[in-house]
């Protein structure tokens, strides 16, 4: 058991490769906590005016989950997808053995843009398959009764929450849900005791189990909880993520999720070799030769990440 607890994890600011003049806030992976369930990565880019140009780049062994908050984005990939993503819609790309994609803001000028970008590590049973993409323009919602104030609303982005299931494809027991708390409300969010969970404050103010949380902070709750109390004075937007603890070894580097150093090194070598890159990662539709080159591997052997909390 991970145990009943609440541990604050603050994001760090990092530059996002391929985006000119744009930094992101990264909460996962954390030095002490590489995963929450199968969630292995969480970035927030924005809010702010930006001209986003993330050129074609590769992934293996994971799913990318893009959840926009403000602004529209264009997604193109090597499985022939070319779509615009709007607030309230979900883009889910499954990398499997290999896929590549690009992400652009719309137009040539900087626009207001804000989004959560998350990754889900794929289990052994799914990580060697073909790449795929799905967009969900309508996701299920459920009202969470309030003990004071108005009810909260949960949008089930991925997996299952409060008995409601997202239509998006998942490969592990998981939850990703956006919670809208009205001003002056106090609600009890249901949790699965067998899973671990964390809550991120996206906007507004919130207290979790009577503990104030600041914007962009993640509060890790561990497992063994069947519920958690949240309240807001002025209103809040939260994101709940969690799932069955991921027990497989996980070696993460750049855009790759694998199990060994050799596997990551081979994926990098494939991306940097034109014929191998095309064979494994395909070609992103409507793009030419533009791409993000892989960084150099570190001069140490990549090792599996271990949780410390």
């Amino acid at each position: 058991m991970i145990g009943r607890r609440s541990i604050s994890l603050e994001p760090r600011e990092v530059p996002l490769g391929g985006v000119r003049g744009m930094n992101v806030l990264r909460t996962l992976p954390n030095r002490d906590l590489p995963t929450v369930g199968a969630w292995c990565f969480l970035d927030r880019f924005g809010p702010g005016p930006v001209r986003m140009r993330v050129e074609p780049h590769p992934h293996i062994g994971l799913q990318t989950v893009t959840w926009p908050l403000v602004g529209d984005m264009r997604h193109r990939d090597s499985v022939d997808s070319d779509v615009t993503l709007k607030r309230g819609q979900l883009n889910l790309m499954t990398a499997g053995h290999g896929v590549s994609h690009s992400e652009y803001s719309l137009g040539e000028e900087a626009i207001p843009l804000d989004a959560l970008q998350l990754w889900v590590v794929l289990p052994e049973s799914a990580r060697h398959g073909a790449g795929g993409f799905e967009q969900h323009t309508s996701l299920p919602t459920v009202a969470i009764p309030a003990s004071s104030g108005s009810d909260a609303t949960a949008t089930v982005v991925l997996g299952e929450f409060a008995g409601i299931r997202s239509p998006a494809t998942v490969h592990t027991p998981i939850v990703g849900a956006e919670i809208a708390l009205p001003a002056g409300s106090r609600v009890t969010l249901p949790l699965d005791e067998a899973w671990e969970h964390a809550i991120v404050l996206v906007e507004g103010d919130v207290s979790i189990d009577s503990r104030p949380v600041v914007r962009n902070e993640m509060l890790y709750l561990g497992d063994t909880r069947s519920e958690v109390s949240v309240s807001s004075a002025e209103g809040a937007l939260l994101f709940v993520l969690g799932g069955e603890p991921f027990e497989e070894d996980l070696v993460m580097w750049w855009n790759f999720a694998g199990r060994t150093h050799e596997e990551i090194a081979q994926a990098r070598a494939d991306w940097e070799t034109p014929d191998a890159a095309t064979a494994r990662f395909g070609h992103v539709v409507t793009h030419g030769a533009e791409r993000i080159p892989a960084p150099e591997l570190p001069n140490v052997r990549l090792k599996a990440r271990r949780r410390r909390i």
Side-chain angles (χ1 to χ4, degrees):
M1 288 291 185
I2 297 166
R4 185 181 178 91
R5 66 182 79 181
S6 57
I7 298 172
S8 173
L9 301 175
E10 296 183 359
R12 62 194 186 278
E13 189 172 354
V14 299
L16 185 64
V19 181
R20 295 174 182 173
M22 182 178 180
N23 288 345
V24 300
L25 292 176
R26 181 162 298 163
T27 310
L28 282 178
N30 180 276
R31 178 184 179 91
D32 296 323
L33 186 71
T35 57
V36 177
W39 298 101
C40 62
F41 183 92
L42 170 58
D43 271 1
R44 181 177 185 176
F45 50 89
V50 67
R51 180 177 180 268
M52 183 171 74
R53 293 292 184 267
V54 182
E55 302 295 357
H57 58 282
H59 289 286
I60 67 166
L62 54 84
Q63 292 177 296
T64 63
V65 177
T66 308
W67 184 244
L69 303 168
V70 176
D72 299 344
M73 292 174 285
R74 183 183 183 186
H75 166 99
R76 287 171 282 176
D77 62 37
S78 57
V79 292
D80 297 330
S81 309
D82 186 352
V83 301
T84 298
L85 179 65
K86 301 177 180 294
R87 173 67 176 144
Q89 301 177 349
L90 166 67
N91 273 6
L92 178 68
M93 186 180 71
T94 300
H97 182 63
V99 77
S100 56
H101 74 128
S102 68
E103 291 173 303
Y104 278 29
S105 55
L106 297 187
E108 294 303 317
E109 302 300 323
I111 64 170
L113 195 64
D114 194 6
L116 301 181
Q117 178 76 69
L118 307 103
W119 296 351
V120 178
V121 60
L122 290 170
E124 187 65 29
S125 59
R127 71 188 189 93
H128 300 291
F133 175 81
E134 53 197 79
Q135 184 180 71
H136 297 276
T137 58
S138 180
L139 293 164
T141 62
V142 58
I144 308 296
S147 58
S148 62
S150 302
D151 292 349
T153 300
T155 301
V156 186
V157 178
L158 205 67
E160 185 173 355
F161 184 77
I164 303 298
R165 178 171 289 277
S166 165
T169 301
V170 295
H171 299 275
T172 55
I174 199 169
V175 58
E178 182 185 88
I179 313 294
L181 290 177
S185 64
R186 177 182 296 275
V187 303
T188 299
L189 303 179
L191 303 177
D192 188 318
E193 290 183 88
W195 295 1
E196 58 179 333
H197 296 85
I199 299 178
V200 179
L201 175 59
V202 179
E203 295 292 347
D205 71 279
V206 73
S207 290
I208 301 175
D209 283 344
S210 300
R211 174 178 177 170
V213 174
V214 301
R215 184 171 175 267
N216 293 316
E217 178 184 4
M218 174 187 286
L219 196 64
Y220 175 66
L221 303 175
D223 65 2
T224 74
R225 289 175 178 253
S226 61
E227 60 186 34
V228 62
S229 174
V230 298
S231 60
S232 178
E234 303 297 331
L237 193 68
L238 314 176
F239 200 87
V240 176
L241 59 161
E244 186 177 90
F246 193 80
E247 302 294 351
E248 297 178 27
D249 279 350
L250 172 60
V251 177
M252 281 183 61
W253 178 82
W254 195 40
N255 301 314
F256 304 145
R259 300 297 183 270
T260 66
H261 174 95
E262 288 77 15
E263 184 181 346
I264 299 297
Q266 185 62 60
R268 183 196 180 280
D270 288 346
W271 179 245
E272 291 302 300
T273 306
D275 288 347
T278 300
R280 181 169 186 177
F281 299 105
H283 182 81
V284 178
V285 294
T286 77
H287 275 282
E290 63 271 23
R291 62 194 289 276
I292 298 177
E296 294 294 329
L297 280 165
N299 292 321
V300 295
R301 183 177 178 80
L302 300 172
K303 296 181 180 180
R305 304 182 180 210
R306 308 291 185 189
R307 68 172 63 235
R308 303 180 185 182
I309 58 176

